[in-house]
């Protein structure tokens, strides 16, 4: 009986260890905390490398990149910012964290980053990070992890470097250095529809990019908006931003130059010649039910 009992206990211990190892290997260390990987992976970014994100992560990445360009920060700054947000929050706008840490960059009200309400706004948080980075002397010549650490002062100073490759892929795509590089799949129940979606997109473009000329309109009997593009790089910046925000703003189709992305297919394809326009990015939103 004693031998049998020991065998049962030993078997139980083995199962516990195996289960523990299984959990360990499927989690990712973000900001010193263990977080389960996100089940939904609805966006693929392809720009000399590939990154897969869910809709929330993608929209936050697009906003971080846009804020960096609006502040006239160099591309390297966007790489550092995205790597930092990857490490600190997994590109999620977390309501809490270590001690009083909040948001994409896990900034702390007690350390003067702002009020909890302010830090919880992704645009405010990104602006504060870039402002802090700009104050670091010689950050442009630092490794990604050293530049990030100079701003964040984390207990894990080397942790940011492991996200450098992903951050560079996202930066190339979101800053318009790659064509048709952001592709997201949107379900049948977008967060917004109709005029409300078009209005929210216009407001988002203004807040992220400072674009006063994004115009909502009934374009070819479509409810949507159009944005003027000074050159192809600018055009792809806006096109990728619109696709990145497709789920939360109800975007059904984005067209630029001779390509178009559709929510149903989740991919870019050739548009008809009659739709070609190299000077404007056009977006259509889901119609009201």
């Amino acid at each position: 009986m004693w031998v049998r009992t020991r065998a049962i206990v030993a078997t139980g211990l083995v199962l516990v260890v195996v289960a523990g190892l299984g959990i360990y290997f499927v989690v990712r260390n973000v900001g010193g905390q263990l977080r389960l990987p996100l089940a939904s992976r609805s966006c693929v970014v392809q720009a000399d490398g590939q990154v897969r994100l869910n809709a929330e992560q993608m929209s936050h990445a697009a906003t971080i990149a846009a804020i960096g360009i609006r502040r006239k920060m160099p591309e390297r700054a966007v790489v550092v910012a995205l790597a930092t947000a990857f490490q600190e929050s997994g590109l999620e706008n977390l309501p809490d964290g270590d001690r009083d840490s909040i948001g994409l960059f896990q900034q702390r009200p007690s350390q003067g980053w702002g009020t909890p309400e302010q830090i919880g706004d992704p645009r405010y948080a990104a602006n504060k990070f870039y402002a802090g980075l700009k104050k670091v002397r010689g950050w442009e010549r630092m490794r990604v992890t050293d530049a990030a650490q100079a701003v964040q002062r984390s207990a894990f100073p080397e942790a940011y470097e492991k996200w450098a490759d992903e951050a560079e892929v996202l930066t190339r795509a979101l800053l318009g250095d790659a064509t048709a590089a952001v592709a997201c799949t949107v379900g049948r129940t977008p967060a917004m529809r109709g005029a409300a979606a078009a209005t929210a997109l216009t407001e988002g473009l203004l807040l992220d990019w400072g674009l006063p000329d994004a115009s909502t309109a009934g374009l070819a009997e479509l409810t949507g908006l159009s944005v003027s593009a000074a050159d192809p790089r600018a055009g792809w910046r806006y096109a990728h931003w619109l696709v990145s925000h497709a789920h939360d703003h109800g975007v059904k189709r984005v067209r630029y130059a001779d390509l178009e992305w559709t929510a149903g297919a989740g991919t870019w394809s050739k548009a008809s010649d009659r739709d070609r326009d190299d000077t404007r990015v056009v977006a259509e939103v889901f119609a009201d039910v």
Side-chain angles (χ1 to χ4, degrees):
M1 176 67 101
W2 171 243
V3 172
R4 182 180 178 185
T5 301
R6 285 197 302 174
I8 292 172
V9 171
T11 301
L13 288 173
V14 170
L15 290 174
V16 170
V17 170
V18 170
L21 287 172
I23 292 172
Y24 176 82
F25 285 115
V26 299
V27 297
R28 192 160 229 170
N29 192 342
V30 178
Q33 301 177 26
L34 293 175
R35 300 185 187 280
L36 289 172
L38 296 160
S40 173
R41 300 283 182 176
S42 57
C43 297
V44 178
V45 181
Q46 190 82 43
D48 295 330
Q50 186 182 95
V51 175
R52 291 179 177 269
L53 302 175
N54 68 14
E56 179 187 358
Q57 292 172 311
M58 193 71 245
S59 65
H60 292 323
T63 288
I64 290 170
I67 295 296
I69 295 305
R70 187 178 179 187
R71 292 182 64 96
K72 302 188 186 306
M73 298 292 285
E75 285 194 27
R76 181 71 171 174
V78 177
V79 173
V80 174
L82 288 170
T84 302
F86 257 124
Q87 170 61 23
E88 295 291 355
S89 68
L91 283 172
E92 294 183 66
N93 193 26
L94 301 178
D96 52 34
D98 180 44
R99 287 170 282 189
D100 60 337
S101 300
I102 296 170
L104 287 173
F105 296 90
Q106 289 291 277
Q107 294 154 334
R108 299 177 59 189
S110 63
Q111 294 184 343
W113 286 99
T115 67
E117 293 75 19
Q118 288 174 322
I119 297 171
D121 177 355
R123 295 180 177 98
Y124 175 92
N127 268 300
K128 291 293 286 187
F129 179 83
Y130 286 121
L133 182 64
K134 196 171 184 177
K135 293 177 183 177
V136 177
R137 182 176 298 178
W139 70 266
E140 301 93 335
R141 299 182 296 278
M142 295 179 181
R143 292 186 305 155
V144 167
T145 199
D146 294 333
Q149 174 64 5
V151 179
Q152 298 294 106
R153 302 187 182 281
S154 167
F156 304 93
E158 290 293 322
Y160 304 104
E161 192 66 27
K162 67 173 175 277
W163 300 108
D165 291 344
E166 287 90 340
E168 287 176 358
V169 171
L170 287 176
T171 298
R172 283 192 289 270
L174 293 170
L175 269 57
D177 294 327
T179 298
V182 177
C184 297
T185 302
V186 179
R188 296 182 178 180
T189 56
M192 293 184 177
R193 289 176 175 271
T199 300
L201 275 177
T202 303
E203 181 181 2
L205 284 163
L206 177 62
L207 292 172
D208 279 12
W209 291 102
L211 294 178
D213 64 338
S215 57
T216 57
L219 299 166
E221 301 180 354
L222 305 177
T223 300
L225 59 82
S226 66
V227 184
S228 62
D231 53 54
R233 194 172 187 229
W236 284 113
R237 286 178 181 177
Y238 304 145
H240 290 155
W241 184 95
L242 288 162
V243 174
S244 298
H245 285 276
H247 177 76
D248 55 341
H249 286 73
V251 181
K252 184 178 181 180
R253 183 167 72 113
V254 175
R255 187 176 71 242
Y256 178 60
D258 61 345
L259 295 171
E260 71 174 10
W261 165 90
T262 57
T267 57
W268 289 88
S269 60
K270 280 284 186 180
S272 62
D273 291 339
R274 62 182 175 80
D275 290 334
R276 185 183 181 97
D277 189 345
D278 294 333
T279 64
R280 299 196 74 80
V281 181
V282 177
E284 173 195 355
V285 299
F286 283 90
D288 288 318
V289 177

